[in-house]
């Protein structure tokens, strides 16, 4: 992998070289060292051999070109996915994977179904954004936001995720502010506790999906290990230390977790708690358990109950479902026609 090798290769070069090389990779987004014409020829040759820039990928754009999915082949032939979403305001969000597959097996999630392959190295997370910067560089666009909502559980690959976030933040590299980076977790308490102590101001989201342990453990087996009480204790503490909002993601699965009673239970759970925001998400058909997305009236009713309890709530319209690219559908499907 090239990033760690760079310093080694440049150790006998004048110090400004490192900055210059970083600019070629992370500002000009070159794909071949030949493009780095201001570098001495001998150095370019060395970089070409020891630090190749190619990323093996297969990119599929949606017909309206507002979303795209990349299948990226890693050195050991594992394949991961990364998604580009162009929001309504034309901002570009990249959804990155933190692991190849996922060990947690949530019942609604296609990634969970495929099982766990391995943790990604930080560079394998970084290249998922680098690839898209290259892809859009000619249109004058830049990546605005990054969300760790692709394959895998980011807090089970903590060190690599934090290392990647630092590369995203670095003014000499991507220069993407921490506030533009969001991390979604199924609720790994040790990870939330470590995050509370980090000085990075990024956004944290919890995949909640149910307001009580019985239903949540049914949908997300990892809940048996931690449970909502402990998770909320860790989140309350995170909020207290950072003063930052936490987003609660709630997939609306028809007649599974979307009843008015459950909305009231959720309202009770959040009573007296500050800085939580509920994000209602359409269930994307992942072909699992005959789940379907909630009907518009059930979503409306659920939302009303929360609003009446003065809970901040938004609906997320996830893009990319025509590409099997939306959240929870990242299972390396090559056949885009389903
Ligand atoms: N493992 C982490 C992050 C990756 S999943 C987590 O679970 O939070 C990213 C988001 O996609 C999570 O909120 C997850 O619950 C959601 N998701 C999974 N399957 C989905 C589906 N079929 N439809 C909609 N969202 C889904
Ligand atoms: Fe893993 Fe998140 Fe999917 Fe659950 S929802 S299986 S934690 S990727």
């Amino acid at each position: 992998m090239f990033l760690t090798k760079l310093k080694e290769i440049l150790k006998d070069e004048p110090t400004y070289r490192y900055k210059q090389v970083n600019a070629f990779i992370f500002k000009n987004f070159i794909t071949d060292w030949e493009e780095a014409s201001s570098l001495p020829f001998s150095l370019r040759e060395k970089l070409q051999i020891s630090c190749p820039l190619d990323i093996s990928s297969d990119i599929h754009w949606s017909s309206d070109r507002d979303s795209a999915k990349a299948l990226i082949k890693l050195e050991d032939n594992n394949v991961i996915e990364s998604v580009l979403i162009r929001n309504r305001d034309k901002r570009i969000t990249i959804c990155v994977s933190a692991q190849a597959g996922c060990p947690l097996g949530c019942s609604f999630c296609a990634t969970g179904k495929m099982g766990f392959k391995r943790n990604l190295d930080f560079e394998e997370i970084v290249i998922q954004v680098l690839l898209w910067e290259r892809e859009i560089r000619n249109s004058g666009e830049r990546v605005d936001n990054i969300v760790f909502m692709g394959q895998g559980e980011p807090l089970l690959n903590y060190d690599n995720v934090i290392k990647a976030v630092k590369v995203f933040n670095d003014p000499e590299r991507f220069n993407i502010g921490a506030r533009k980076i969001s991390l979604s977790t199924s609720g790994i308490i040790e990870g939330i506790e470590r995050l509370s102590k980090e000085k990075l101001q990024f956004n944290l989201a919890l995949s909640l999906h149910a307001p009580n342990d019985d239903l949540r453990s049914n949908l997300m087996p990892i809940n048996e290990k931690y449970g909502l009480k402990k998770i909320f204790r860790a989140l309350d503490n995170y909020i207290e230390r950072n003063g930052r909002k936490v987003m609660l993601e709630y997939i609306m699965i028809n007649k599974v977790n979307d009843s008015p009673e459950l909305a009231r239970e959720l309202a009770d759970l959040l009573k007296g708690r500050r800085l939580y925001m509920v994000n209602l998400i359409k269930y994307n058909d992942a072909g699992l358990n005959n789940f379907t997305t909630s009907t518009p009236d059930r979503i409306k009713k659920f939302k009303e109950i929360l609003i009446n309890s003065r809970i901040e709530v938004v609906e997320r319209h996830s893009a990319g479902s025509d590409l099997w690219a939306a959240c929870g559908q990242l299972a390396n499907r090559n056949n885009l026609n389903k």
Side-chain angles (χ1 to χ4, degrees):
M1 279 281 158
F2 66 91
L3 289 181
T4 23
K5 277 192 198 145
L6 262 189
K7 272 209 166 127
E8 172 66 26
I9 296 168
L10 297 175
K11 72 177 188 313
D12 299 326
E13 296 283 330
T15 45
Y16 65 85
R17 218 34 117 209
Y18 186 64
K19 207 169 174 168
Q20 200 183 8
V21 164
N22 263 325
F24 276 119
I25 303 174
F26 295 105
K27 305 267 182 238
N28 303 337
F29 305 116
I30 60 166
T31 55
D32 192 307
W33 288 110
E34 271 180 18
E35 293 176 68
S37 48
S38 58
L39 296 180
F41 182 74
S42 59
L43 178 60
R44 266 190 277 156
E45 292 241 288
K46 219 196 272 177
L47 289 165
Q48 201 80 274
I49 295 164
S50 311
C51 198
L53 291 173
D54 46 310
I55 301 171
S56 168
S57 67
D58 193 3
I59 293 180
H60 304 271
W61 282 89
S62 63
S63 43
D64 57 11
R65 295 195 62 85
D66 278 346
S67 62
K69 171 163 98 164
L71 292 159
I72 300 174
K73 193 153 135 202
L74 305 175
E75 276 173 12
D76 64 355
N77 287 334
N78 268 310
V79 175
I80 51 163
E81 297 185 329
S82 169
V83 177
L84 174 146
I85 299 159
R86 189 180 275 115
N87 303 351
R88 282 190 201 125
D89 60 3
K90 300 289 165 209
R91 293 195 167 268
I92 302 275
T93 298
I94 304 301
C95 176
V96 295
S97 298
Q99 300 181 311
C102 181
L104 300 183
C106 300
S107 61
F108 46 78
C109 175
T111 308
K113 189 92 199 295
M114 73 185 261
F116 179 58
K117 309 284 187 236
R118 67 170 171 85
N119 270 336
L120 299 185
D121 181 64
F122 86 99
E123 295 192 352
E124 292 168 330
I125 301 174
V126 168
I127 60 169
Q128 296 175 52
V129 176
L130 189 57
L131 176 73
W132 291 116
E133 292 278 26
R134 291 176 181 181
E135 180 75 8
I136 61 180
R137 71 173 180 173
N138 290 334
S139 61
E141 290 174 299
R142 285 288 316 266
V143 169
D144 297 292
N145 304 296
I146 297 171
V147 297
F148 281 84
M149 294 187 187
Q151 290 182 0
E153 168 49 58
L155 295 187
L156 288 180
N157 188 14
Y158 192 93
D159 293 335
N160 284 306
V161 165
I162 296 294
K163 258 172 131 175
V165 168
K166 287 186 177 155
V167 177
F168 295 144
N169 283 165
D170 185 350
E172 288 188 7
R173 290 170 171 181
F174 292 97
N175 196 22
I176 296 172
R179 285 167 186 260
K180 306 242 167 109
I181 300 176
S182 304
L183 191 149
S184 172
T185 178
S186 57
I188 307 296
I189 291 184
E190 298 84 347
I192 299 173
E193 285 168 349
R194 280 180 80 182
L195 272 184
S196 308
K197 294 176 198 140
E198 297 283 349
K199 299 222 153 42
L200 293 164
Q201 298 252 301
F202 54 69
N203 307 305
L204 181 62
L206 172 78
S207 287
L208 181 62
H209 312 320
N212 62 56
D213 281 328
D214 278 354
L215 180 59
R216 193 166 188 271
S217 298
N218 231 320
L219 297 172
M220 306 176 72
I222 185 67
N223 191 64
E224 279 168 27
K225 178 161 181 199
Y226 297 109
L228 286 171
K229 209 169 178 177
K230 286 194 197 145
I231 293 177
F232 273 88
R233 199 181 302 137
L235 290 176
D236 289 343
N237 184 42
Y238 170 91
I239 291 175
E240 198 159 302
R241 277 173 172 254
N242 292 279
R244 312 225 359 109
K245 255 189 199 174
V246 168
M247 184 166 89
L248 301 174
E249 299 166 281
Y250 200 103
I251 310 177
M252 300 298 286
I253 311 174
N254 201 38
K255 299 194 175 153
V256 171
N257 65 352
D258 63 347
S259 69
E261 295 72 41
L262 289 169
R264 282 189 277 275
E265 213 177 327
L266 177 55
D268 280 348
L269 180 67
L270 298 181
K271 199 185 252 160
R273 290 197 145 99
R274 293 180 326 117
L275 293 176
Y276 285 94
M277 180 188 108
V278 176
N279 192 339
L280 299 179
I281 304 165
K282 282 212 165 71
Y283 166 73
N284 288 314
D285 187 4
L288 299 168
N289 300 311
N290 293 323
F291 286 165
T292 55
T293 193
S294 302
T295 55
D297 341 331
R298 288 179 77 86
I299 297 179
K300 192 164 164 244
K301 180 88 192 137
F302 197 93
K303 193 172 168 182
E304 265 168 22
I305 294 171
L306 296 177
I307 291 172
N308 290 339
S309 308
R310 296 170 191 269
I311 289 163
E312 188 181 344
V313 42
V314 291
E315 268 179 76
R316 186 205 292 168
H317 299 277
S318 92
S321 49
D322 59 331
L323 276 167
W324 282 88
C327 312
Q329 295 180 304
L330 300 184
N332 301 343
R333 223 174 255 266
N334 284 302
N335 176 0
L336 298 174
N337 302 317
K338 299 186 191 175

